[in-house]
Amino acid sequence: MPWNLIIRVVEIKGRCPVYRVGDMFKVVGGYRLATDIPLCLHGLVTLMPYYVALSRGINPVELGLGREGRAAYVQCPDPCERTGGGTVVFKIEQKEEDR
């Protein structure tokens, strides 16, 4: 059974026009986005290579995305120093679905 993913904005370097620290959205059932906030495609692209593995319960440490526990970290590709934008750091937590 897939794990749900809870994605939180934990840090912003520079100035992001979309996210604020503390913003949160979910990937439910392995593929459905659940959100009440606007999403940025630049931010979503950082999640794309990993959401399937994380939704299947692969430990983030095995993927090189964390140091311990069930939390992964990825970062938006915006080179904020060059663009005047903001680089967003996301924390992805794995939660087992209710069985």
Side-chain angles (χ1 to χ4, degrees):
M1 182 163 290
W3 291 45
N4 291 326
L5 305 178
I6 300 166
I7 299 102
R8 294 182 200 280
V9 174
V10 294
E11 182 180 356
I12 298 173
K13 300 173 187 175
R15 184 184 51 80
C16 177
V18 178
Y19 294 115
R20 303 287 172 260
V21 171
D23 283 351
M24 187 264 307
F25 57 97
K26 297 178 184 179
V27 175
V28 179
Y31 63 92
R32 292 187 318 268
L33 277 172
T35 183
D36 292 330
I37 63 170
L39 298 178
C40 174
L41 290 175
H42 297 288
L44 284 179
V45 75
T46 65
L47 305 171
M48 297 305 288
Y50 308 111
Y51 83 92
V52 172
L54 293 170
S55 293
R56 292 185 178 170
I58 305 274
N59 191 305
V61 175
E62 293 178 45
L63 298 171
L65 299 177
R67 292 187 182 160
E68 60 185 332
R70 304 235 43 117
Y73 295 87
V74 296
Q75 181 172 317
C76 163
D78 186 334
C80 59
E81 293 85 7
R82 305 255 185 239
T83 64
T87 297
V88 177
V89 178
F90 298 95
K91 179 180 182 182
I92 308 165
E93 296 177 279
Q94 298 171 303
K95 300 290 184 185
E96 285 189 85
E97 283 192 352
D98 295 331
R99 301 197 190 271

